[in-house]
Amino acid sequence: MTAGTGAGTKVGTGAGSARRHHLGSTEIVYLALVGILVIAGVLVAVRGGNLFAQGNVSYMLTQTSLLGFVAVGQTLVVLCRSLDLSVGYVVALCSLIGATTMAGDPSRVWLGVVAALAVAAGVGLVNGLIISALRVNAFIATLGMGLIVKGFLDTRFKGPEGEVPLAFQTFGYTRIGPVPVSTIVMLLVAAAAFVLLTRTRAGYHMFAVGGNLDVARLSGVRTGRTLVLAHVLCSLCAGVAGLLIAARFGTGNALVYSYGLDLDSIAAVVLGGTLLFGGRGSVVGTVGGVAILAVLDTAFNVLDVNPFFKDVLRGVIIIAAVALYARRQIDPASRRVRFGTKGSAARGGDVA
Amino acid sequence: MTLTAETSRSTARQWRERLLSGGSWTVLALLVVVLVVIVVINPSFAEPVSLMAFAKKAAPLVVLAVGQYFVIVSGEFDLSVGSLVGAQVVIAARLMDGDEALTWPVLGLMLVFGLLVGLVNGLVTTLLRVPSFITTLGMMLVLFGAIRLWTGGAPTGALSESFRVLGRKGFPDVPGQFQVPYALLVALVVVGFAVLLMRRPFGRSLVAAGDNAVATAYSGASVWWLRTRAFLLSSFLATVAAVLIGGFAGVTAQVGQGLEFMAITAVVLGGVALGGGRGTVVAAMVGALALEALFTLFNQLALPSTIRPAVQGVIIIVAVAYAARRRRT
């Protein structure tokens, strides 16, 4: 049932009269998106531009795809009250593995894709096992894993390496009308995650694990497996983002990890109304959060805002948005147990 | 005779349990092991001059770790300290521009700015109920962008000589001689102050708030003000660390980058639980020293600088996994 209420707008609004008078968080995300689109559109129009010109729209959609992959994966782990700070490094790693495996040979495209995704899944598996079996706090585990991958990347690759055949570069550049193929793929991945979370047992288990680990375990959920699955899927999504980077650049590039995708993706997830403490949220909201960030980015570009001022605005908007949701989402049970108390403090709580 | 043998054996066992328990004593053991390995590789490290140089280098991280400890033990995070350190150094350099007369006014301004950042972090987290991860992440973005916006991308100006004394000089101030760095004294004062503070009602309630905020609220403490004060302390100590780092290393565009994760790592290495309510401030300090010692060890081993993050990653995962394994039983 936790799964149902958290999972989507449909169930949320139908849940009864008590909920009817205030909106679900997903609706707010999309209202905010519309609001920002209108404000940005007006601001751009005042300057004599058109935010909705085809070039701008496709730039906007292109922006959504890269962060979108990472954020959809991040949603799954955040729902389990975990988080993944290694995604940025996984993206860089997979772009390099994909590009070096393909080595410019069109017949090796599939090999490259499979190799990159296999490595990504491996990293996610290790993350998940460290967190669930060794009981290391997710923050530390994935931060450490990120550092390990960073060390490997910096030592092994000195610069851009590998070559992506033209056939695969189309994944980065092809558009259908104004819509890039990569965005469509991202939406398909998001749809798959949506189905996973709202229609399958594994998805319900993720909500249960994030809502309350101990209750989930006592109810017969294999919490360890669920966490591992979430982390593997999260890393896989990051791997797809890495392949997208490789397709756009034509080579793999280690410096992608400095894009700040890890923190950005967490910001997008939380902007999308998913509770950072797990158990509530939706992929639909995350896609909205990603879209908000992309619209902001495009509007700043069109308005020619100083890039440093963009950072300031982004920081303020993220905090303000989350403050808005926080007012309606808080319930004492989800606030009391903080981050990463899975291993130690939660246990202490049992004894006390 | 047998009695003393018996008791000494049981004390020995107690100590072994303490050292292997995965808590504060384990990180102390780790620190000692790393220091011994460094001395074995490079005996000159044991000389007072090298040890003092090590202390000088480690002092800022110790100060930051103590600040981060307050926030973490109360159940929150402060990701903004790294960019706050960077911002403070750049602000100081730009405002004083090498002018000795401006040193004290600028220090005062830095203090006010630091406390303001801490206040905003604390109030947004506690009153607006934004998770501190997001609050301080946003603050990090804001500070990062605002400072570069203000300086046009590259830091300008210079720090005055008297500003740099704390981070660079020592006592007695004779070059080439043995000296106790001022940075070490600052770090000791900070740690001493923090230990006293944690024994006061404030410290006890802070740990309680991290362990169980609801129970703490019911027992009459105002949790929001406790946590806000923790953020204030963290930002204040980040300002102190900025003075030390600015003095030690001068002004660069990268100053402070990644320090927040270093400080959190140090605190966690000291056995302080993320999520609050567990761990001591001395352990956080030892964690910072152990982390700094590891970096020194990497230098001694002449590890390629690129592989260091990987080794660091392995060590923090193993250390935390070890601690978690013990606590479970």
Side-chain angles (χ1 to χ4, degrees):
Chain A
M1 231 42 249
T2 328
T5 33
T9 54
K10 250 188 321 190
V11 191
T13 43
S17 53
R19 296 185 136 260
R20 198 164 291 158
H21 62 274
H22 62 76
L23 296 159
S25 55
T26 313
E27 283 100 329
I28 302 178
V29 176
Y30 282 90
L31 279 178
L33 176 61
V34 171
I36 288 176
L37 269 175
V38 170
I39 295 172
V42 169
L43 279 178
V44 172
V46 167
R47 293 276 191 93
N50 180 7
L51 185 64
F52 305 102
Q54 180 158 353
N56 289 339
V57 170
S58 56
Y59 177 80
M60 212 181 286
L61 293 171
T62 311
Q63 287 302 98
T64 59
S65 57
L66 181 61
L67 184 59
F69 284 122
V70 183
V72 166
Q74 191 75 259
T75 311
L76 301 181
V77 288
V78 171
L79 276 177
C80 295
R81 198 191 283 145
S82 182
L83 83 175
D84 194 340
L85 294 174
S86 67
V87 281
Y89 301 99
V90 173
V91 170
L93 180 67
C94 290
S95 79
L96 278 161
I97 292 197
T100 48
T101 311
M102 289 177 197
D105 181 355
S107 64
R108 289 167 65 94
V109 164
W110 287 109
L111 195 62
V113 170
V114 169
L117 293 184
V119 168
V123 174
L125 184 68
V126 175
N127 273 338
L129 287 177
I130 290 175
I131 292 166
S132 62
L134 299 182
R135 290 164 185 277
V136 174
N137 185 290
F139 186 92
I140 292 294
T142 56
L143 180 65
M145 179 55 76
L147 287 174
I148 294 172
V149 176
K150 176 179 165 31
F152 171 73
L153 287 173
D154 289 349
T155 314
R156 169 73 183 73
F157 302 100
K158 302 297 176 202
E161 244 173 77
E163 197 190 334
V164 176
L166 281 175
F168 190 65
Q169 289 193 20
T170 51
F171 174 47
Y173 290 113
T174 312
R175 283 194 203 130
I176 301 170
V179 187
V181 169
S182 55
T183 307
I184 296 174
V185 177
M186 188 275 284
L187 289 175
L188 289 177
V189 169
F194 177 77
V195 172
L196 173 82
L197 285 176
T198 55
R199 298 280 182 277
T200 69
R201 186 179 296 178
Y204 283 12
H205 286 178
M206 284 179 192
F207 282 103
V209 167
N212 190 323
L213 189 76
D214 292 318
V215 170
R217 183 186 291 115
L218 292 175
S219 321
V221 175
R222 289 181 193 271
T223 53
R225 277 188 198 179
T226 310
L227 259 174
V228 171
L229 176 68
H231 273 278
V232 168
L233 292 177
C234 174
S235 285
L236 273 175
C237 288
V240 177
L243 288 170
L244 175 61
I245 289 262
R248 284 208 192 134
F249 289 176
T251 61
N253 196 335
L255 290 181
V256 176
Y257 63 62
S258 61
Y259 285 11
L261 279 171
D262 29 22
L263 296 179
D264 267 2
S265 64
I266 294 175
V269 168
V270 177
L271 261 184
T274 297
L275 214 56
L276 196 51
F277 309 112
R280 278 196 201 177
S282 69
V283 173
V284 182
T286 297
V287 172
V290 170
I292 289 178
L293 288 178
V295 171
L296 285 176
D297 200 49
T298 313
F300 291 156
N301 268 351
V302 176
L303 291 171
D304 207 14
V305 174
N306 180 307
F308 301 127
F309 191 56
K310 273 202 285 199
D311 277 329
V312 177
L313 277 179
R314 242 171 15 135
V316 171
I317 289 172
I318 290 171
I319 294 180
V322 177
L324 276 179
Y325 305 147
R327 304 200 74 79
R328 59 184 61 234
Q329 277 187 334
I330 292 307
D331 72 273
S334 61
R335 241 187 102 68
R336 193 178 72 239
V337 186
R338 317 283 315 183
F339 251 163
T341 44
K342 281 183 294 298
S344 45
R347 241 133 244 296
D350 286 348
V351 179
Chain B
M1 193 61 213
T2 43
L3 194 69
T4 43
E6 193 75 357
T7 41
S8 74
R9 201 178 301 148
S10 78
T11 5
R13 194 168 58 226
Q14 249 176 14
W15 273 101
R16 199 172 58 228
E17 268 169 22
R18 268 184 184 172
L19 288 177
L20 296 178
S21 69
S24 341
W25 291 100
T26 310
V27 71
L28 190 63
L30 176 72
L31 173 64
V32 171
V33 168
V34 175
L35 287 180
V36 167
V37 172
I38 297 175
V39 171
V40 168
I41 294 173
N42 176 12
S44 71
F45 182 77
E47 283 168 19
V49 177
S50 325
L51 280 179
M52 286 300 131
F54 172 73
K56 184 153 100 180
K57 193 159 157 281
L61 187 60
V62 168
V63 173
L64 278 178
V66 170
Q68 190 71 244
Y69 167 80
F70 287 119
V71 179
I72 288 184
V73 89
S74 77
E76 305 287 346
F77 274 101
D78 193 346
L79 295 179
S80 68
V81 288
S83 55
L84 179 58
V85 166
Q88 295 280 29
V89 171
V90 171
I91 288 175
R94 169 106 190 226
L95 287 184
M96 64 176 69
D97 202 10
D99 186 352
E100 297 292 334
L102 285 176
T103 304
W104 287 103
V106 170
L107 272 175
L109 192 77
M110 286 167 69
L111 186 66
V112 172
F113 181 69
L115 290 178
L116 187 70
V117 168
L119 191 68
V120 172
N121 277 340
L123 292 184
V124 170
T125 302
T126 55
L127 295 189
L128 297 184
R129 305 193 162 177
V130 178
S132 58
F133 190 88
I134 295 295
T135 314
T136 54
L137 171 65
M139 182 56 84
M140 174 169 132
L141 283 175
V142 169
L143 286 174
F144 182 89
I147 282 305
R148 278 161 183 74
L149 185 67
W150 186 49
T151 57
T156 52
L159 298 167
S160 71
E161 279 306 311
S162 45
F163 182 92
R164 297 194 63 172
V165 162
L166 270 186
R168 202 150 60 158
K169 296 281 169 56
F171 174 86
D173 191 9
V174 185
Q177 296 276 309
F178 171 78
Q179 58 178 19
V180 180
Y182 291 129
L184 175 62
L185 300 179
V186 171
L188 285 177
V189 169
V190 165
V191 171
F193 169 73
V195 168
L196 288 181
L197 202 54
M198 290 315 287
R199 286 167 175 268
R200 306 255 321 137
F202 166 71
R204 305 289 190 208
S205 328
L206 197 66
V207 177
D211 191 32
N212 190 333
V214 177
T216 312
Y218 279 137
S219 52
S222 76
V223 174
W224 71 270
W225 178 231
L226 280 169
R227 286 190 169 138
T228 306
R229 276 184 285 173
F231 278 104
L232 282 169
L233 279 168
S234 170
S235 296
F236 167 69
L237 291 177
T239 309
V240 174
V243 174
L244 295 183
I245 292 174
F248 183 74
V251 194
T252 54
Q254 282 85 32
V255 60
Q257 231 167 53
L259 272 181
E260 62 281 347
F261 286 125
M262 291 259 288
I264 294 175
T265 306
V267 172
V268 172
L269 212 52
V272 180
L274 284 183
R278 207 180 275 262
T280 67
V281 67
V282 176
M285 176 199 75
V286 179
L289 288 177
L291 196 60
E292 236 5 285
L294 278 172
F295 289 135
T296 312
L297 180 63
F298 296 164
N299 272 335
Q300 300 289 348
L301 293 175
L303 277 183
S305 66
T306 50
I307 200 87
R308 278 179 210 176
V311 182
Q312 188 194 347
V314 171
I315 286 170
I316 61 172
I317 292 180
V318 169
V320 177
Y322 183 79
R325 176 188 67 92
R326 281 289 162 166
R327 279 207 202 101
R328 188 164 26 160
T329 53

